[in-house]
Amino acid sequence: MISENHFPEPTLIPVNGVELEVFEAGRENAGNPIVLCHGWPEHAISWRHQVPVLAAAGYHVIVPNQRGYGNSSCPAEVADYDIAHLTGDLVALLDHFGYADATFVGHDWGANVVWGLALLHPSRVTRVVNLSLPYLERGERPWLEVLEEVFGSDFYMVHFTRRPGVADAVFDEHAARFLRNVFRKNAPPLSGSFLELAQAETPLGDPVMSEDELAVLVSAFTRTGFTGSLNWYRNLDRNWHLLADADPVIRKPALMVHGDRDAVARSANLDRFVPGVDVVSLDCGHWIQQEEPERLNRTILEWLRLNEVQSLPGGSRPR
């Protein structure tokens, strides 16, 4: 029996030139896969509230620690964390399980990877459910250049990239304090570099996970360090170039879930690039699946069931 207090045991799976630590539930539901993709600075257990519910609803739930996280591979080269590699890992994971396509759910950076997967490998995506991070429009100038101009050099995405190694060292030295301060029910301070959270003695807001759950993240990042996860940010402009030839419109059924108290900005052009997207807001901050797990679970399952019914010929219900 899988419960929120007993996360499934992982398996190391070789894919795309790396190994991914993968957690599974509902293997008896083979043929109905759903892949959950975590963000930064997270871990597969961020989906602990969703895994048993989705498995009980009839899904084969696949939850990887993506490259740079947990016991998955941490390549040394920065370019090994670009969107081509990250989406390539997910495609290879589907191949491993023998699936042509799947529903993908992403949060934070994981949402960005899922959007990218739908652009670069649309045939492998059945549906998209993304939390917090909306579709990022590819404008005429690279993303990092625009972010630096608008928010300045201390903005965390810019700081991580322009000053490689600085944030890594601070987070590595204060891993437990940083993670304890980040995973709170207040939105992360997007105006800063996050370094203050690694140094703050008194955390703000209520925690979104227990001490035992937090210990899993602390242990993982103490072992790997933060460089692999920060290298995702250091590929923003490379990703901008890699997506140049992709059709920018996502033509898959999509659900976008926001937290009303999340500091992440919403997209003004979401309907333009994701036609017909359904948008839901929940009363929470950034860590949506951990702050409002029951409401999110109901929202996702209701949307999936409705979408499955609508996709069948004649609108008949699935068996």
Side-chain angles (χ1 to χ4, degrees):
M1 176 67 68
I2 296 165
S3 72
E4 293 175 14
N5 296 320
H6 179 66
F7 208 62
E9 292 297 317
T11 303
L12 283 178
I13 297 176
V15 297
N16 198 30
V18 297
E19 283 189 323
L20 295 185
E21 181 182 28
V22 179
F23 301 82
E24 278 185 86
R27 185 178 288 193
E28 66 276 12
N29 303 321
N32 199 17
I34 188 166
V35 183
L36 312 182
C37 302
H38 65 77
W40 180 86
E42 292 188 274
H43 186 281
I45 70 160
S46 300
W47 299 105
R48 63 195 177 280
H49 301 295
Q50 286 70 49
V51 169
V53 173
L54 290 169
Y59 292 92
H60 179 191
V61 189
I62 302 168
V63 194
N65 265 327
Q66 298 178 84
R67 61 170 67 197
Y69 289 86
N71 289 313
S72 295
S73 299
C74 297
E77 295 298 322
V78 172
D80 285 343
Y81 297 86
D82 67 24
I83 196 66
H85 286 87
L86 296 175
T87 59
D89 291 349
L90 298 179
V91 167
L93 193 59
L94 290 186
D95 291 342
H96 170 83
F97 286 106
Y99 290 129
D101 52 25
T103 296
F104 284 86
V105 183
H107 171 251
D108 186 79
W109 245 112
N112 198 34
V113 175
V114 171
W115 292 128
L117 181 69
L119 293 175
L120 295 173
H121 303 280
S123 66
R124 309 307 299 267
V125 178
T126 308
R127 303 171 190 84
V128 169
V129 178
N130 274 334
L131 318 180
S132 182
L133 193 70
Y135 178 93
L136 298 179
E137 180 180 348
R138 185 185 180 279
E140 296 182 356
R141 297 161 60 198
W143 285 309
L144 201 66
E145 179 183 325
V146 175
L147 289 170
E148 187 167 20
E149 180 179 293
V150 174
F151 297 108
S153 60
D154 285 337
F155 185 65
Y156 71 106
M157 295 187 191
V158 180
H159 185 277
F160 293 165
T161 304
R162 302 295 193 217
R163 302 182 66 188
V166 174
D168 317 42
V170 174
F171 297 155
D172 288 354
E173 182 179 356
H174 304 288
R177 183 186 298 171
F178 171 60
L179 292 166
R180 180 171 285 106
N181 290 344
V182 164
F183 287 101
R184 297 278 160 175
K185 292 183 179 180
N186 58 302
L190 300 185
S191 60
S193 63
F194 279 95
L195 299 187
E196 64 271 27
L197 290 182
Q199 298 160 338
E201 295 287 349
T202 305
L204 299 174
D206 296 326
V208 300
M209 62 179 68
S210 70
E211 285 295 318
D212 287 344
E213 291 159 351
L214 180 66
V216 175
L217 274 72
V218 173
S219 175
F221 281 105
T222 298
R223 186 185 68 81
T224 64
F226 284 82
T227 297
S229 66
L230 292 174
N231 282 342
W232 290 36
Y233 289 97
R234 293 166 183 150
N235 279 284
L236 276 171
D237 282 359
R238 181 177 174 84
N239 294 347
W240 183 86
H241 288 287
L242 287 170
L243 292 169
D245 296 328
D247 179 352
V249 178
I250 292 176
R251 308 178 195 281
K252 302 292 180 177
L255 171 66
M256 180 72 228
V257 183
H258 294 287
D260 283 337
R261 291 179 279 114
D262 192 350
V264 175
R266 304 188 183 198
S267 171
N269 296 314
L270 187 61
D271 280 332
R272 176 183 171 193
F273 292 99
V274 191
V277 62
D278 292 302
V279 180
V280 172
S281 295
L282 300 181
D283 181 21
C284 61
H286 184 69
W287 313 111
I288 298 172
Q289 72 270 46
Q290 301 185 75
E291 294 184 48
E292 286 285 354
E294 293 182 3
R295 291 185 63 194
L296 177 66
N297 292 346
R298 288 198 302 270
T299 297
I300 291 176
L301 286 176
E302 288 170 4
W303 184 83
L304 288 172
R305 287 167 182 154
L306 178 62
N307 184 265
E308 288 169 354
V309 169
Q310 291 176 338
S311 66
L312 290 173
S316 59
R317 291 188 176 275
R319 295 182 179 179

